Amino acid sequence: MNKDFKLKTALCAIGLATLGSAGFADSGDTLASVKERGEVLCGVHPARHGFAAPNSKGHWDGFEVDYCHAIAAAVFGDADKVRFVALSSQQRFPAIQSGEVDVLVRNVTATLGRDTALGLNFAPPIFYTGTGFLVHADSGVKTVEDLDGATICVAPGSTTERNVAQIFATRGMDYTPVVIENNKQLVDAYVTGRCDALTKDKAALPGVRAYDTENPAEHVLLPGIFSKEPLAAAVRQGDDQWYDLVKWVTYATFNAEELGVTSENAGDMKSSDNVDIQSLLGVTGDYGSKLGVSEDWAYNVITQVGNYAEIYARHFGPGSPVELDRDLNTLWVDGGLLYGFPIK
């Protein structure tokens, strides 16, 4: 190999590396930046029933919103030290890549492509769901096969958009996509009959029925889940400390439920002789300092936000606007997929 070829090869490699990192913020020490700023910048869905939306008082509310609060509780001991940044499907990845937000908790499906090409790291999934379809009750549609030739409302840039194409292609069926970015406009298009069906993660579809307050019974969920959609918080690659913190906040909510530690009894549970509870609540060990936060980080998460069961019940339990069975979103000891790594 001659010297000129070696030089050209090296320059090419440098150019590709530079191109690959263009548009990506330096991860740096995110935790230090968050502490200096005094709040966590959390990217969320602009309006998705049960997951994230401003309530009647203008305050953010929802399952994913609570996980933003949980991160703030771990960092500051104050769950309210978080600023919510509403992001569309198209905005969400540039926002985390550029450093506009510190963490993305916005109905993001963890996939290999996103994990690698987008420069993201995913915390453990907090919600398992899959692609589903909602149709009008009077349409006569009973199964997904009945949608051959239908118009389908779908959000752009989502895994659902790709899933629908695959679902119809594998069945040899045709469809016409109606692609709308704004979530309210997308739902309105379906409700008013512009589309024969609306497709989203199945967990989001009951919220659409709640949206149509005059005729909620006019919308029917088709049977079946047609993809794997593990929803998880995402952070930028290159900052292991911040990634570790977000990851272990998630595990803490799982472990608290498994150990029977709740927002109501966490104070009393500090006197438990169970070593796992002692570690979780910061009675023993130096696990907080290993994460760069106080030793009572998980205690603050649990007392101010709750364990996983409390968070889920608040937004999807009986009496909530969007009631959903926990299904796969139960602990491993109950046959579900939630498994908190041990704090030891």
Side-chain angles (χ1 to χ4, degrees):
M1 185 181 291
N2 62 45
K3 292 183 179 179
D4 286 343
F5 185 80
K6 288 182 178 179
L7 177 61
K8 289 178 181 178
T9 301
L11 290 173
C12 181
I14 293 170
L16 287 173
T18 303
L19 179 63
S21 61
F24 290 79
D26 265 347
S27 288
D29 191 342
T30 305
L31 180 58
S33 298
V34 168
K35 287 180 176 179
E36 182 178 359
R37 187 192 308 124
E39 61 183 1
V40 178
L41 300 179
C42 195
V44 294
H45 198 290
R48 186 171 183 181
H49 288 280
F51 287 91
N55 61 24
S56 59
K57 297 180 180 179
H59 301 302
W60 282 93
D61 185 43
F63 178 83
E64 291 178 325
V65 167
D66 275 356
Y67 271 92
C68 297
H69 283 301
I71 295 167
V75 175
F76 299 107
D78 185 345
D80 291 329
K81 288 190 174 182
V82 54
R83 189 195 320 167
F84 297 99
V85 181
L87 299 169
S88 69
S89 296
Q90 303 291 354
Q91 294 169 331
R92 55 185 174 168
F93 296 128
I96 187 66
Q97 291 166 340
S98 67
E100 181 184 348
V101 295
D102 303 310
V103 60
L104 196 60
V105 194
R106 192 219 169 277
N107 287 162
V108 179
T109 300
T111 68
L112 185 148
R114 290 171 174 177
D115 192 26
T116 54
L118 297 184
L120 302 179
N121 278 333
F122 288 97
I126 54 176
F127 200 99
Y128 290 92
T129 183
T131 299
F133 294 89
L134 192 70
V135 299
H136 300 277
D138 60 1
S139 66
V141 174
K142 303 297 182 183
T143 68
V144 70
E145 285 74 20
D146 296 330
L147 290 174
D148 192 12
T151 54
I152 310 292
C153 275
V154 61
S158 62
T159 54
T160 303
E161 186 179 20
R162 295 190 294 275
N163 291 338
V164 172
Q166 183 176 6
I167 290 164
F168 277 76
T170 56
R171 288 166 172 77
M173 294 160 48
D174 295 320
Y175 74 105
T176 301
V178 177
V179 182
I180 301 174
E181 168 67 26
N182 181 276
N183 185 64
K184 184 179 184 302
Q185 294 174 2
L186 178 69
V187 173
D188 283 340
Y190 159 73
V191 170
T192 58
R194 183 177 168 189
C195 311
D196 299 311
L198 173 68
T199 183
K200 287 176 173 283
D201 293 344
K202 195 165 186 177
L205 294 175
V208 176
R209 290 191 294 199
Y211 174 82
D212 189 5
T213 55
E214 294 184 3
N215 303 291
E218 296 301 314
H219 309 284
V220 177
L221 274 168
L222 294 185
I225 294 178
F226 300 94
S227 67
K228 292 191 291 187
E229 304 293 333
L231 306 183
V235 298
R236 290 181 297 279
Q237 289 179 0
D239 191 338
D240 287 348
Q241 184 184 43
W242 183 244
Y243 173 51
D244 285 346
L245 179 64
V246 174
K247 175 172 60 178
W248 283 99
V249 165
T250 304
Y251 284 144
T253 64
F254 299 168
N255 285 332
E257 179 184 359
E258 183 176 343
L259 294 168
V261 182
T262 70
S263 58
E264 296 295 327
N265 69 14
D268 293 336
M269 294 289 260
K270 279 190 170 184
S271 60
S272 170
D273 57 5
N274 183 310
V275 294
D276 292 325
I277 293 176
Q278 291 177 353
S279 298
L280 174 69
L281 299 179
V283 177
T284 60
D286 58 348
Y287 305 110
S289 61
K290 293 180 188 302
L291 293 171
V293 293
S294 65
E295 300 303 342
D296 60 354
W297 64 279
Y299 176 81
N300 292 329
V301 170
I302 298 160
T303 55
Q304 296 182 35
V305 184
N307 66 27
Y308 186 90
E310 291 177 289
I311 296 170
Y312 193 98
R314 191 177 300 139
H315 304 292
F316 302 119
S320 66
V322 184
E323 292 190 28
L324 290 172
D325 291 336
R326 282 185 63 171
D327 195 23
L328 295 177
N329 298 298
T330 53
L331 297 175
W332 67 286
V333 291
D334 298 322
L337 297 179
L338 304 185
Y339 186 104
F341 285 13
I343 298 176
K344 61 182 181 181

